[in-house]
Amino acid sequence: MTRRDVIHKWLVYSLGLLPVWLLDAYILPRCPLFGVVPMLLPLAVAAVAVLEGAYAGTGFGLGVGLLWELAYPGGFGGSVFFLALAGMAMGAVSQYALNQSFVGCLICAAGELALLDFLRVTRMLFINAASLSALLQVAVPEFLWSLVWTPLVWLLFRAVYNRVGGTKLA
């Protein structure tokens, strides 16, 4: 790929991220299901990492982490590093252990969301913000509700990949 092709490719991926971010930031918080709102940005990182591999997953995770930290209040910078590392790990796992398919994306997204919720629950327990049962009453539905959105995010980024990414998928 030429330099121009690479720039075009990542510009299109960024444009593909735009509707996911709009859903995540502005539409879904207005209609929570059972009091929880899904997290779609980690799903976007999972989809791109599965499709593009470890290096691209790291870069995309870094960019999405920056967006997450800058767009949402209360961040401490951890999302940047977490999503970059998650993108790298999911890209490597999908390249060497899983198929680059929806099932691989679903497995990677479930692992990423589970680890993210585990870290959030642990942090809240550490600062005595709430009891474990109260935190799990939010974390488990959030995890499940987020996974429900995986097919939509996968289809969006798979379409982008088929357009500008490559020919790994049939």
Side-chain angles (χ1 to χ4, degrees), residues 4 14 60 107 118:
R4 182 177 181 176
S14 299
F60 193 75
I107 292 169
F118 172 76

Side-chain angles (χ1 to χ4, degrees), residues 91-159:
V93 166
S94 71
Q95 279 180 306
Y96 301 114
L98 296 173
N99 289 331
Q100 292 175 314
S101 64
F102 172 69
V103 174
C105 179
L106 189 63
I107 292 169
C108 288
E112 179 186 22
L113 290 170
L115 184 58
L116 183 60
D117 278 337
F118 172 76
L119 293 172
R120 287 174 151 181
V121 166
T122 303
R123 188 180 102 216
M124 292 302 198
L125 284 174
F126 183 73
I127 62 172
N128 291 326
S131 67
L132 179 61
S133 63
L135 292 170
L136 289 178
Q137 286 177 354
V138 173
V140 172
E142 180 183 60
F143 169 80
L144 295 173
W145 185 220
S146 296
L147 279 181
V148 167
W149 288 88
T150 305
L152 177 72
V153 174
W154 168 257
L155 288 174
L156 174 71
F157 284 105
R158 183 175 156 197

Side-chain angles (χ1 to χ4, degrees), residues 27-38 145:
I27 297 169
L28 293 175
R30 296 188 184 274
C31 51
L33 182 68
F34 302 115
V36 294
V37 177
W145 185 220

Side-chain angles (χ1 to χ4, degrees), residues 32-94:
L33 182 68
F34 302 115
V36 294
V37 177
M39 295 181 290
L40 301 184
L41 292 180
L43 299 178
V45 174
V48 172
V50 166
L51 291 168
E52 291 287 342
Y55 293 120
T58 304
F60 193 75
L62 185 69
V64 172
L66 281 169
L67 173 67
W68 200 357
E69 288 294 334
L70 295 173
Y72 299 97
F76 66 98
S79 297
V80 176
F81 298 110
F82 175 79
L83 288 179
L85 290 174
M88 180 181 63
M90 289 181 294
V93 166
S94 71

